[in-house]
Amino acid sequence: MKTFFTPGPSQPYPGLEQFLVDALREHVVSLSHRSPAFMEMFRRTTDGLRQLMDIPADYHIYFLGSATEAMERIIQSTVRSRSHHFVNGAFSEIFFNVARQLGKDATEQRVPWGSGFGLEDMAMPDGTELVAFTHNESGTGAMLDLQDVYACKRAHPDVLVALDVVSSAPIVKLDFAYLDCVFFSVQKAYGLPAGLGVLIVSPAALAKAHSLAAQQHVIGSYHSFRSLAEFASKDQTPATPNVLGIYLLGRAVADLQARGIGQLRHDISARAEALYQLLDEHPTLQPFVAKPQHRSQTIIAAKVDDSALFVEPLAQQGLVIGTGYGDHQRMLLRIANFPTVDNKQMDKLLQALQSHRP
Ligand SMILES: *Cc1c(COP(=O)(O)O)cnc(C)c1O
């Protein structure tokens, strides 16, 4: 038996096997995305997400192919020329690059990988239409303090705020009053098969898309905020979506609600604390993110001389942990602290790390 503490794809959602069997029995795979049964399933999944994540009734929920697609759609549908990006790792950098590749006059505030941002770093150039934040940098384990993001929105109420919560949803508790475009994909903390992105859009962000379109700007083709909104109002999608993915997400969301999201958040937080304490005390490991207030709860990154010295011996015990991402492959370990792993499995990993001293 293997347990995956990898940041994504990650340990499968407990119960995924049953969800898949049910999906086949209920003919989900053969469902037309224009049928009443699909529309009902679309509604069940979006209503469940609204409850689980406290998404306001006037915010829109769209289904896309991935989180990276969400970055592209956000830039196309809300930015005429200027977006500003807070870059502290691989994923915030991808968002910035998407804006540049789409020909926008995108600007960035860059800090070293493994650092976070404080409110004092959150200035932006005049004329910024959208600011892009990555809540949880999965590559480095650095997390933003959302109070700083909200304060930034209070200081610039006319600027749209985009927030990547790919590796922190649904554990992170969000206040949508300060957020305009929030997105995640399902192969991280939800432990579901990859290939589904979820994008949550404020009325102000959708209004911006309509105003850009009215001025003859290209805001996307088959997936623009306008086309997604038009079909979502009928509980549908513009093109054939990942129907199975939407079904599985609906099942996982209902199950998370039954388990109690408050309890899960509490458990994840306690486990993160135990992991960081272990790293602080371990002779050959140390937390990669120096400032405790910027350390992620869901992706714990540890500095190490050679990640293989831990990854391979632990894998032999069935405990699969992640190496660093990209250039940091060798010098980092990454441990996903997702709700798909239970407390007992996490205890086993803690013990194994504790006693492994290469
Ligand atoms: C994995 C990840 C992404 C990319 O998600 P895809 O679904 O592969 O597009 C974006 N942002 C963060 C923080 C991630 O961890």
Side-chain angles (χ1 to χ4, degrees):
M1 274 292 274
K2 284 186 184 176
T3 307
F4 288 85
F5 298 87
T6 41
S10 57
Q11 176 74 5
Y13 192 88
L16 177 60
E17 190 173 342
Q18 187 62 49
F19 300 165
L20 285 165
V21 169
D22 293 345
L24 288 171
R25 287 214 184 108
E26 294 168 26
H27 309 296
V28 168
V29 175
S30 310
L31 217 52
S32 156
H33 65 299
R34 302 287 173 237
S35 66
F38 173 83
M39 288 152 66
E40 213 251 313
M41 194 185 83
F42 182 107
R43 205 156 44 238
R44 212 179 322 130
T45 304
T46 52
D47 285 352
L49 278 171
R50 251 181 235 288
Q51 276 185 26
L52 184 72
M53 295 180 70
D54 276 323
I55 301 168
D58 59 348
Y59 276 55
H60 307 265
I61 301 176
Y62 305 142
F63 294 113
L64 306 172
S66 67
T68 312
E69 188 194 347
M71 297 176 190
E72 182 166 285
R73 300 304 164 230
I74 290 166
I75 297 293
Q76 286 177 316
S77 282
T78 68
V79 178
R80 182 198 325 269
S81 61
R82 291 207 158 161
S83 57
H84 186 65
H85 299 255
F86 292 93
V87 178
N88 64 335
F91 294 102
S92 40
E93 181 156 62
I94 290 173
F95 206 162
F96 173 64
N97 286 337
V98 163
R100 296 299 284 259
Q101 284 159 1
L102 288 170
K104 307 300 176 186
D105 182 13
T107 50
E108 63 176 326
Q109 162 92 9
R110 191 177 275 267
V111 293
W113 275 200
S115 306
F117 292 96
L119 187 57
E120 67 283 2
D121 312 311
M122 288 185 186
M124 63 189 79
D126 287 343
T128 298
E129 297 159 75
L130 173 113
V131 282
F133 291 105
T134 303
H135 174 242
N136 202 59
E137 252 303 345
S138 315
T140 63
M143 191 176 75
L144 294 180
D145 182 342
L146 287 174
Q147 293 309 321
D148 292 336
V149 173
Y150 301 160
C152 182
K153 175 72 171 182
R154 277 196 292 271
H156 307 275
D158 297 332
V159 175
L160 297 172
V161 174
L163 185 69
D164 173 335
V165 292
V166 175
S167 57
S168 48
I171 293 305
V172 60
K173 199 167 162 35
L174 299 168
D175 186 343
F176 282 89
Y178 302 103
L179 302 170
D180 295 287
C181 301
V182 175
F183 60 93
F184 62 90
S185 42
V186 300
Q187 74 277 17
K188 305 279 171 85
Y190 279 96
L192 297 173
L196 181 68
V198 177
L199 170 61
I200 301 150
V201 168
S202 71
L206 180 58
K208 177 74 185 282
H210 282 298
S211 112
L212 290 178
Q215 296 162 48
Q216 313 304 320
H217 284 276
V218 174
I219 61 165
S221 60
Y222 76 109
H223 276 177
S224 69
F225 280 17
R226 195 166 58 167
S227 69
L228 289 159
E230 182 193 330
F231 282 92
S233 70
K234 302 180 284 192
D235 295 318
Q236 291 184 22
T237 52
T240 316
N242 181 345
V243 180
L244 178 61
I246 296 170
Y247 171 87
L248 295 173
L249 179 60
R251 291 292 301 267
V253 163
D255 193 69
L256 284 164
Q257 275 174 300
R259 288 163 71 189
I261 189 71
Q263 181 63 44
L264 282 171
R265 286 177 175 146
H266 176 270
D267 288 355
I268 297 293
S269 165
R271 282 157 33 171
E273 204 173 307
L275 279 160
Y276 283 117
Q277 194 182 341
L278 183 148
L279 297 183
D280 275 331
E281 291 165 1
H282 201 280
T284 50
L285 295 172
Q286 65 190 98
F288 180 55
V289 177
K291 285 194 181 164
Q293 71 266 32
H294 289 150
R295 287 179 187 163
S296 166
Q297 302 256 298
T298 49
I299 307 251
I300 285 83
K303 226 174 4 190
V304 64
D305 287 340
D306 181 359
S307 54
L309 293 175
F310 280 84
V311 172
E312 284 159 22
L314 289 174
Q316 278 167 17
Q317 302 174 51
L319 304 166
V320 185
I321 61 173
T323 62
Y325 184 84
D327 296 343
H328 293 80
Q329 183 132 15
R330 192 180 154 98
M331 59 151 307
L332 281 190
L333 296 178
R334 288 181 307 152
I335 298 165
N337 179 26
F338 290 156
T340 50
V341 166
D342 67 28
N343 293 346
K344 260 195 5 228
Q345 292 165 315
M346 187 55 83
D347 280 344
K348 208 171 151 205
L349 177 67
L350 281 162
Q351 276 167 23
L353 280 171
Q354 188 85 277
S355 53
H356 186 64
R357 303 187 166 203

